[in-house]
Amino acid sequence: MTADAVSGFGIAGWGTALPERVVSNAELAQRFGVDEDWIVSRCGIRERRAVEPGQTTASLAVEAGRDALAKAGLDGADIAHLMVATATPEQPSPATSAFVHHELGIAGSAHDLNAECAGFVYGVVSAMALMALDPRPVLLIGSDTHTLTVRPDDRDLGILVGDGAGALVLTPRPDHVVRGWNLGADGSCSSSLKVLAGGSRLPTTAETVREGLHYARINGNEIYLNAVRYTVETVRQTLESAKVEPADVDHVIPHQANIRIINSVLQHTGLPPERLVSNLDRYGNTASASVPLALAEALDAGRIREGQLVLLAGFGAGMTWGSVLLEWGGR
Amino acid sequence: MSMPTIDELASQLTAVSGAKAVDPDHPLQHIEDVDSLDLMEWLYGFQNDYPHIPADESLFADMDDTTTLRTVHERIQRLVPEQG
């Protein structure tokens, strides 16, 4: 799905939350019996953060949301809708957004969005659509704790994932313009990354736990190939709909999954590598949080200026993918 | 319809992986600097360069210690549609 330019919103605030516990490559190299250099060359990650007891998807989301509200000069009572993008919910029911809604004192409605690692990009487009119907502030948070879903001896996922949250407050102001966007999904690829047990298809039992079916499993080759293919395609479609050349994009903020996927996407789309915004080396793959974390860090560093074009792009299990091209306005 | 030679496949994989050399008859799993992600990146490039050949990740589905680039090339040859 693709559409033309949409105006009439502002990014009034942004926030982040990262657990203090740093998981280094040295620690994982020892756990998995591999070289630290192998981890870096395979995925570009040097360290990642992991929650400690007491920290959860909702607690990270609350921290990031509170940060974003403070920067926007708003509080929960000003928010008409809260959306939490996550694939690692607080618990099966109710939605993670319910817990965040309570903690932040949100006045309006709330719901979760699960498009896996593409969740935040889906959320940005969904927030725009909500604000077109109801021009009041939206708080959008991406929060995931994938370190809790990984089997302790799973080297493939264990070196990749990290925990964190990022948030944006979107307000109905004429500051920014969505120059183009594209969302897509291919449900036939649903086996690429999966948690088999704990849902209606395979409810949790003592046996599913004994077999470790509550842990995430990844088909790395399938994910890699489809991630490159679909991210390249969504970026091409968004830039085409916006009539923007790759070389004219000022900041490229992709889902931070693996540096080799990111480099391949840059190469095949023609996006300038020097415009990449990446925190992958420090945080690993933080799933729904990766795009807002990178965006918030770029904003905090003053890298994004008025009139510049910012491309957000993501892909996730499912598979899902999406991209949004923002023309940054004045504040 | 074009079909890459075994040497062309080796050059493509060398470029993607950064390996010093890719011997078509050396088991893929034992070529230094070539890993499964390199093979997928190579496959993505192949799919773009040869869209008429329906190659996908099943090329490597049963890869073991004996699978070489020549094995893969032979599988690709069997995928090339016959010209009518």
Side-chain angles (χ1 to χ4, degrees):
Chain A
M1 190 179 289
T2 305
D4 295 331
V6 181
S7 60
F9 77 99
I11 292 177
W14 53 91
T16 62
L18 288 157
E20 285 190 10
R21 185 180 164 229
V22 175
V23 180
S24 67
N25 280 356
E27 180 181 335
L28 294 185
Q30 188 173 32
R31 184 191 306 171
F32 297 126
V34 297
D35 292 334
E36 289 181 52
D37 289 347
W38 179 84
I39 299 176
V40 176
S41 66
R42 189 167 176 83
C43 57
I45 299 169
R46 295 183 183 279
E47 60 185 39
R48 66 291 285 152
R49 304 296 182 91
V51 288
E52 296 181 283
Q55 287 184 304
T56 65
T57 297
S59 74
L60 292 177
V62 166
E63 190 180 336
R66 194 169 278 140
D67 189 14
L69 286 169
K71 281 201 179 76
L74 300 176
D75 61 32
D78 300 310
I79 299 299
H81 193 83
L82 164 69
M83 202 181 310
V84 178
T86 184
T88 53
E90 190 77 353
Q91 58 191 47
S93 184
T96 304
S97 56
F99 300 94
V100 179
H101 185 276
H102 174 65
E103 288 293 324
L104 293 179
I106 302 293
S109 52
H111 80 286
D112 279 15
L113 188 165
N114 181 356
E116 265 286 354
C117 300
F120 198 83
V121 176
Y122 264 69
V124 170
V125 175
S126 301
M128 302 296 176
L130 266 176
M131 287 171 53
L133 295 169
D134 177 6
R136 292 185 293 157
V138 173
L139 174 58
L140 170 63
I141 305 173
S143 182
D144 267 310
T145 52
H146 268 294
T147 63
L148 300 174
T149 70
V150 178
R151 206 178 62 232
D153 62 348
D154 185 343
R155 187 185 70 179
D156 289 345
L157 270 175
I159 64 171
L160 291 176
V161 298
D163 301 332
L168 290 182
V169 175
L170 298 147
T171 54
R173 312 185 314 194
D175 295 14
H176 306 311
V177 177
V178 176
R179 290 282 298 272
W181 59 272
N182 170 265
L183 298 178
D186 180 355
S188 71
C189 300
S190 60
S191 65
S192 303
L193 178 67
K194 57 194 174 190
V195 177
L196 287 168
S200 60
R201 178 177 288 196
L202 185 60
T204 305
T205 63
E207 188 178 349
T208 65
V209 172
R210 197 161 45 244
E211 293 179 9
L213 302 182
H214 55 297
Y215 289 123
R217 294 164 182 227
I218 189 172
N219 179 338
N221 286 355
E222 195 174 298
I223 282 271
Y224 181 89
L225 197 63
N226 287 327
V228 173
R229 175 187 297 139
Y230 290 127
T231 309
V232 167
E233 189 57 30
T234 187
V235 166
R236 280 183 182 153
Q237 290 200 26
T238 286
L239 294 184
E240 194 176 308
S241 71
K243 299 179 175 57
V244 167
E245 295 298 319
D248 295 328
V249 175
D250 296 292
H251 304 280
V252 182
I253 306 182
H255 168 46
Q256 317 275 311
N258 182 318
I259 197 63
R260 294 163 73 181
I261 292 176
I262 291 174
N263 286 340
S264 185
V265 167
L266 293 173
Q267 180 193 341
H268 290 288
T269 54
L271 288 163
E274 67 275 15
R275 314 274 172 83
L276 172 67
V277 178
S278 178
N279 54 26
L280 179 70
D281 60 330
R282 288 172 289 134
Y283 306 141
N285 180 343
T286 53
S288 301
S290 80
V291 167
L293 277 171
L295 174 60
E297 287 193 337
L299 288 165
D300 282 337
R303 286 177 65 176
I304 299 175
R305 297 188 299 277
E306 188 175 347
Q308 290 189 321
L309 294 175
V310 181
L311 178 69
L312 312 179
F315 66 88
M319 290 206 42
T320 56
W321 57 86
S323 52
V324 180
L325 183 69
L326 303 176
E327 182 179 328
W328 212 256
R331 294 205 67 224
Chain B
M1 289 185 186
S2 63
M3 166 71 198
T5 66
I6 184 76
D7 291 334
E8 285 170 336
L9 289 195
S11 317
Q12 292 161 5
L13 185 54
T14 304
V16 165
S17 66
K20 287 179 187 153
V22 172
D23 179 345
D25 295 307
H26 199 75
L28 284 166
Q29 290 184 341
H30 297 162
I31 299 176
E32 197 172 354
D33 291 330
V34 173
D35 66 12
S36 61
L37 297 189
D38 292 319
L39 294 176
M40 291 303 107
E41 174 62 6
W42 165 81
L43 177 58
Y44 179 76
F46 183 91
Q47 290 173 332
N48 282 285
D49 293 343
Y50 303 94
H52 61 289
I53 302 176
D56 60 22
E57 52 270 39
S58 64
L59 280 178
F60 305 101
D62 58 352
M63 192 166 78
D64 60 22
D65 269 0
T66 66
T67 309
T68 65
L69 198 58
R70 193 172 300 282
T71 315
V72 174
H73 188 251
E74 287 166 0
R75 289 174 180 176
I76 291 171
Q77 280 180 313
R78 289 197 290 272
L79 292 172
V80 178
E82 288 183 16
Q83 295 192 42

